[in-house]
């Protein structure tokens, strides 16, 4: 028999999940601006105070969506990252899995994107508030690089996870604007992009191109400062 504390924890987790699911549905149906915390609470069958107990704001609910999507992506990539040694296949697989697990949220993302695209908005993937999800995403690309058997420049290898995450942000932007059936054009974008990245990374260890890689890394450091 479950202890009372465990029962309360399970109940809290279930309530939290119901609030998140309700918020995402209302965001899709009514739009982000038109959806209030009061409406979310009413639809979820909880008091407004209870909704605010779990989530201090609508922004916090979207951050919960980020965390959920990130966890789903990690789970979807686990087998690939555990078994595939090719850098190109690891990168392409991770990017395609992101599109696949994100498909149910495509309509929501289209409506929501203008908020996330504002540099000063806490919902931006570059904001301090989004750092947990961002760090987790970069960690996936670190695994892409570290588990690869391909040769590449040592310094570039250290910087590559964050650079690949930036590439993934380009994929996200393309996906948000993709109206093709099943996001076919986004998959094609990945299919075209990955071989180019793979070739550049593969050439980075060659003596004639090592200096170019160093200059590129130095530029990244300067822009980051």
């Amino acid at each position: 028999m479950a202890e009372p504390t465990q029962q309360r924890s399970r109940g809290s987790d279930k309530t939290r999940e119901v609030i998140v699911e309700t918020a995402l549905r209302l965001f899709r149906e009514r739009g982000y601006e038109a959806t209030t915390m009061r409406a979310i609470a009413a639809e979820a069958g909880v008091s407004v105070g209870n909704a605010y107990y779990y989530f201090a704001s609508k922004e916090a609910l979207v951050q919960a969506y980020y965390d959920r999507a990130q966890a789903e992506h990690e789970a979807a990539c686990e087998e690939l990252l555990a078994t595939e040694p090719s850098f190109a296949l690891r990168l392409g697989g991770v990017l395609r899995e992101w599109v696949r697990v994100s498909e149910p949220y495509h309509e929501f993302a289209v409506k929501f994107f203008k908020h996330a695209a504002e540099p000063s908005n806490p919902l931006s993937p570059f904001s301090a508030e989004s750092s947990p999800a961002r760090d987790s995403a970069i960690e996936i690309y670190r695994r892409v690089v570290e588990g690869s058997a391909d040769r590449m420049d040592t310094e570039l290898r250290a910087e590559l996870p964050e650079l690949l995450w930036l590439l993934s942000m380009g994929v996200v932007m393309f996906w948000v604007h993709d109206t093709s059936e099943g996001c076919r054009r986004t998959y094609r974008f990945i299919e075209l992009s990955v071989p180019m990245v793979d070739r550049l990374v593969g050439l980075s260890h060659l003596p004639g191109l090592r200096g170019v890689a160093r200059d590129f890394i130095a530029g990244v450091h300067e822009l980051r400062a």
Side-chain angles (χ1 to χ4, degrees):
M1 183 175 179
E3 295 294 330
T5 300
Q6 292 176 318
Q7 291 176 334
R8 286 195 297 271
S9 177
R10 290 172 186 171
S12 296
D13 290 344
K14 184 176 180 180
T15 301
R16 190 178 192 279
E17 190 67 17
V18 168
I19 294 172
V20 172
E21 288 286 352
T22 302
L24 292 178
R25 175 173 60 82
L26 293 179
F27 290 159
R28 288 194 300 268
E29 294 174 356
R30 305 180 185 181
Y32 181 74
E33 301 96 329
T35 301
T36 64
M37 288 293 286
R38 183 173 296 278
I40 293 169
E43 289 284 328
V46 300
S47 68
V48 176
N50 205 15
Y52 276 111
Y53 172 79
Y54 289 99
F55 299 98
S57 64
K58 289 195 298 182
E59 288 81 2
L61 279 160
V62 176
Q63 294 294 345
Y65 155 69
Y66 285 169
D67 293 339
R68 172 197 285 188
Q70 185 58 39
E72 291 177 2
H73 187 210
E74 289 174 10
C77 296
E78 193 58 42
E79 182 177 355
L80 170 75
L81 294 177
T83 59
E84 177 55 61
S86 163
F87 172 75
L89 293 179
R90 291 170 73 83
L91 175 59
V94 165
L95 291 172
R96 283 191 295 273
E97 282 300 316
W98 184 90
V99 177
R100 186 184 66 79
V101 302
S102 299
E103 185 176 357
Y105 307 107
H106 190 251
E107 184 181 354
F108 163 64
V110 169
K111 295 178 180 179
F112 167 74
F113 180 73
K114 64 180 180 180
H115 299 284
E118 295 174 359
S120 60
N121 196 304
L123 299 178
S124 165
F126 299 93
S127 71
E129 291 83 354
S130 298
S131 61
R134 181 173 63 249
D135 291 344
S136 295
I138 293 173
E139 183 59 30
I140 289 183
Y141 293 102
R142 181 167 287 104
R143 292 184 63 191
V144 167
V145 174
E146 292 180 352
S148 168
D150 295 31
R151 292 184 65 188
M152 61 185 74
D153 177 78
T154 303
E155 289 189 28
L156 180 61
R157 180 183 285 272
E159 300 293 335
L160 202 50
E162 187 170 351
L163 296 175
L164 294 178
W165 175 74
L166 290 173
L167 169 66
S168 77
M169 289 295 97
V171 172
V172 171
M173 182 173 292
F174 194 95
W175 172 77
V176 166
H177 293 90
D178 187 0
T179 57
S180 63
E181 185 176 357
C183 293
R184 173 183 49 81
R185 294 181 66 242
T186 302
Y187 285 109
R188 181 58 177 161
F189 177 71
I190 294 169
E191 184 181 344
L192 293 172
S193 301
V194 169
M196 290 188 288
V197 174
D198 180 48
R199 188 173 183 185
L200 290 171
V201 169
L203 293 173
S204 65
H205 72 280
L206 298 177
L209 292 175
R210 195 169 294 155
V212 176
R214 297 290 192 275
D215 290 343
F216 176 74
I217 292 168
V220 171
H221 287 171
E222 181 179 342
L223 292 172
R224 187 186 293 158

